[in-house]
Amino acid sequence: MASRDTAPLWVFGYGSLVWRPAFPHRRREAGYVVGWKRRFWQGSTDHRGVPGAPGRVVTLLRAPGERVAGMAYEVEPAARERVLANLDHREQGGYARHEATVYRTPNDAVAERALIYVATPDNANYLGPAPVDAIARQVVASRGPSGPNDEYVLALDDALRDLGADDDHVRELAAHVRALRR
Ligand code: SIN
């Protein structure tokens, strides 16, 4: 078996990394991680909001028995260190590296130890739960260096639909955001 240093590096995206990985990868495969739920509970002051007026982006919370669909990428080996440095920079607004197994089916793993970026409640930008209409209003009002916050929500909703993934939280928020934009 290959040692950890020479094993392929897989990254699992469940937010913007689903539709905009922006790093060289050898292949990608849809999959899911188990024991987590996805929530728009992380504040963004560097991508979809600004300091003092944060937007909302997704993070993962521990949730035994639940699963989160997303996209797994096998990083181009020659670019491994550059990709890690760029991802650490991109996710620096409160996310830290974790590891998870990515599954294609319950008995078949895409990757045993994929890297995922998770923003835990102890980070300075964490916002936590709020009613969906309040989150939607915050999203529609927010914009940051990476663009409007509503674009992030709708792009994630579209990407998950393309994957055939059901995520009630994302779907409900996207419906509220669309209604506010009308
Ligand atoms: C991810 O996409 O996996 C992390 C959260 C984000 O950057 O939106």
Side-chain angles (χ1 to χ4, degrees):
M1 192 180 153
S3 80
R4 289 208 60 189
D5 285 340
T6 56
L9 171 63
W10 284 85
V11 174
F12 179 75
Y14 58 90
S16 64
L17 293 175
V18 178
W19 81 90
R20 198 182 70 83
F23 59 80
H25 48 277
R26 199 144 66 166
R27 60 190 168 119
R28 60 177 199 152
E29 206 174 317
Y32 61 89
V33 293
V34 176
W36 300 90
K37 63 185 180 185
R38 171 176 25 221
R39 291 291 182 271
F40 274 86
W41 291 0
Q42 174 64 11
S44 174
T45 58
D46 57 350
H47 286 294
R48 301 290 173 167
V50 292
R56 278 194 180 246
V57 292
V58 282
T59 185
L60 298 184
L61 286 300
R62 297 280 182 192
E66 295 201 32
R67 58 166 73 173
V68 170
M71 188 65 79
Y73 302 91
E74 185 185 346
V75 173
E76 193 57 54
R80 181 188 183 108
E81 294 312 317
R82 177 165 55 88
V83 168
L84 284 172
N86 289 344
L87 284 174
D88 284 352
H89 180 74
R90 171 172 168 170
E91 305 293 336
Q92 67 185 340
Y95 294 85
R97 293 183 188 185
H98 290 250
E99 266 186 1
T101 301
V102 182
Y103 296 93
R104 52 174 80 81
T105 67
N107 296 316
D108 187 13
V110 177
E112 298 283 350
R113 286 188 299 235
L115 172 64
I116 52 173
Y117 284 85
V118 176
T120 50
D122 53 2
N123 84 85
N125 290 326
Y126 188 77
L127 295 175
V132 66
D133 56 316
I135 296 181
R137 282 176 206 290
Q138 182 175 356
V139 162
V140 168
S142 299
R143 160 183 288 274
S146 297
N149 200 175
D150 56 1
E151 176 187 86
Y152 177 108
V153 173
L154 299 180
L156 179 58
D157 185 47
D158 288 347
L160 293 179
R161 284 170 197 266
D162 288 349
L163 294 181
D166 273 330
D167 187 315
D168 292 345
H169 175 74
V170 176
R171 192 162 290 189
E172 189 187 8
L173 177 59
H176 275 72
V177 166
R178 285 195 187 92
L180 285 172
R181 280 159 43 118
R182 264 188 225 124

